[in-house]
């Protein structure tokens, strides 16, 4: 009997020790874009930062996504600690019930955490295609960023504003098929929207000579007048193999968001860890360098999560009244 009691005591103690880390840990899901995108790499890096800065208290799982539209739609339904990326314009569209969010609800629970690197719009063609300007795509087969994605909508909007919407032959397939289609000359080009440099294009450029089509200053001005969230961005020469000139294009702000289902302490810890390690992350991935706390206002009117707001107040960051 004594031996049995001793064994039970030991087993109970071991069970308590094993259970303790599980009780202390907080599980967080990070979701951004496809595994070939720069945003997926960012989420992996963020997951490592959260684990390190919280000494393992926050454990992150990174999920691949087809893009921002999927992320926003899932935010209305996902329980627990769900962190996702999207341009703020999509959240506004979701709340207003605009396409592709018609008849849907649940988007009022979304809250802002921090700023992400801007989306850079890339219009990519084969270097030997003869296409040198966006207007040259008239009559050509072109993948507009992947069926139903933010990039698809952004590309079609840009082409419409530039008078090209009905002149380009849009090929309605997933972006994952774009590289092979381009290599095999089944399409002239495709659009991809991700912070640059994007791994997908870096890999493509090692085997296929590419050109990234520029957006002129006049075209950028036209886009900005109709969409104030658009702003000029330059892809520096040498960013992609064989692209030896600076390429002017446009970008769109992006944020990292959660929902009210995340508790304040977790949101605070995530935001604090991000800004504490942002500069260190930039040493590995330079796209983080341009991200600054005072850019939080560029994310529109989606309110900050209370835990995030606590951090920004402590850090002395000016937050627009519409986000408090």
């Amino acid at each position: 009997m004594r031996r049995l009691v001793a064994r039970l005591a030991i087993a109970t103690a071991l069970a308590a020790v094993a259970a303790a880390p599980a009780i202390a840990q907080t599980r967080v899901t990070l979701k951004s874009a496809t595994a070939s995108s720069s945003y997926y790499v960012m989420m992996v890096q963020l997951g490592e930062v959260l684990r390190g800065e919280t000494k393992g208290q926050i454990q992150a799982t990174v999920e691949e996504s087809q893009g921002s539209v999927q992320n926003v739609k899932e935010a209305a339904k996902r329980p627990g600690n769900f962190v996702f990326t999207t341009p703020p314009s999509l959240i506004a569209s979701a709340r207003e019930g605009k396409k592709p969010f018609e008849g849907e609800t649940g988007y009022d629970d979304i809250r802002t955490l921090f700023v992400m690197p801007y989306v850079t719009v890339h219009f990519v063609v084969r270097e030997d295609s003869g296409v040198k300007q966006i207007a040259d795509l008239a009559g050509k087969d072109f993948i507009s960023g992947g069926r139903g994605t933010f990039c698809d909508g952004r590309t079609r909007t840009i082409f419409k504003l530039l008078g090209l919407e009905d002149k380009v032959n849009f090929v309605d397939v997933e972006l994952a098929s774009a590289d092979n289609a381009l290599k095999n000359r089944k399409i002239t080009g495709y659009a991809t929207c991700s912070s640059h440099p994007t791994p997908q294009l870096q890999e493509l450029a090692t085997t296929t000579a590419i050109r990234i089509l520029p957006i002129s200053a006049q075209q950028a001005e036209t886009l900005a007048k109709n969409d104030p969230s658009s702003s000029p961005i330059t892809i520096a020469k040498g960013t992609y193999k064989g692209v030896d000139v600076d390429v002017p294009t446009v970008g769109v702000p992006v944020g990292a968001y959660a929902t009210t289902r995340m508790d304040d302490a977790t949101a605070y810890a995530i935001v604090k860890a991000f800004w504490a390690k942002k500069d260190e992350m930039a040493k590995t991935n330079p796209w983080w360098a341009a991200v600054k706390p005072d850019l939080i206002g560029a994310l529109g009117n989606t309110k900050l999560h209370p835990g995030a707001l606590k951090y920004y107040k402590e850090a002395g960051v000016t937050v627009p009244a519409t986000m408090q």
Side-chain angles (χ1 to χ4, degrees), residues 37-47 116-117 194-195 281 285 287-288:
S37 74
S38 55
Y39 285 102
Y40 184 86
V41 176
M42 293 179 204
M43 287 294 100
V44 172
Q45 194 175 24
L46 177 60
M116 295 287 291
S194 188
S195 186
M281 289 193 292
N285 293 309
W287 51 59
W288 291 115

Side-chain angles (χ1 to χ4, degrees), residues 87-89 118 150 154 223-232 250-253 298:
S89 58
Y118 276 37
F150 168 80
R154 174 64 45 169
L223 299 178
K225 284 181 179 179
N226 291 275
D227 180 9
S229 68
S230 291
S231 60
V250 292
V252 181

